[in-house]
Amino acid sequence: MNQFDFLKTAFSDYRVGAIAASSRYAVRRVAANLPAGAKYAVEYGAGEGSMTRGILENLPENGRLMAVELNRDFWPALESIKDERLKLLNNDVLELSGRLKNLGLPKVDAIVSGIPFSFFSPSRRRKITEQTAEGLSEGGVFIVYQYSLLILPILKKYFREVKVSFEPRNLPPYFIMTAKK
């Protein structure tokens, strides 16, 4: 998917929440926050797959990534990723976050999220975060990349440790919050 197609999709669906795909710098920085030895991961809001590819590059050969994307316009780009470790899911994140333990993974080591939390009601933000914390294995991480720190107080409520970094080489720049269970 080229930048024009991404922008067209973003304008036609406000839930996309981005004007450009994640930069390679942002992808590297997010992937660097995956825990050592992470084998099973979930991605909320896979978009056109730039972050998906970065996560897969950091998973072992016997790992597994469940990538959740609600917008079907992104599916051709995601389906072009030929990797047997990847499974695509067309689900609402609120519903899916409540059943992480039923996804067929032995455990969930990491969840990476680019969904635009600023578009959700406070109760929806809280519920997704709470259910994500419950579904992660002990020591697992919830990595959230956003244009603002809106979700930070909620992360601090449900996770024992939260680290924040900033990636200016993205359009717009990202705050990357890594919350450890």
Side-chain angles (χ1 to χ4, degrees), residues 14-30:
Y14 76 93
R15 295 172 300 180
V16 171
I19 59 170
S22 297
S23 72
R24 68 179 184 268
Y25 305 105
V27 170
R28 279 189 219 133
R29 189 173 291 232
V30 167

Side-chain angles (χ1 to χ4, degrees), residues 144-162:
V144 182
Y145 55 97
Q146 305 279 289
Y147 303 131
S148 79
L149 295 171
L150 176 72
I151 195 73
L152 185 60
I154 299 170
L155 291 172
K156 288 181 175 181
K157 180 178 179 180
Y158 292 101
F159 291 89
R160 63 182 167 93
E161 179 183 326
V162 181

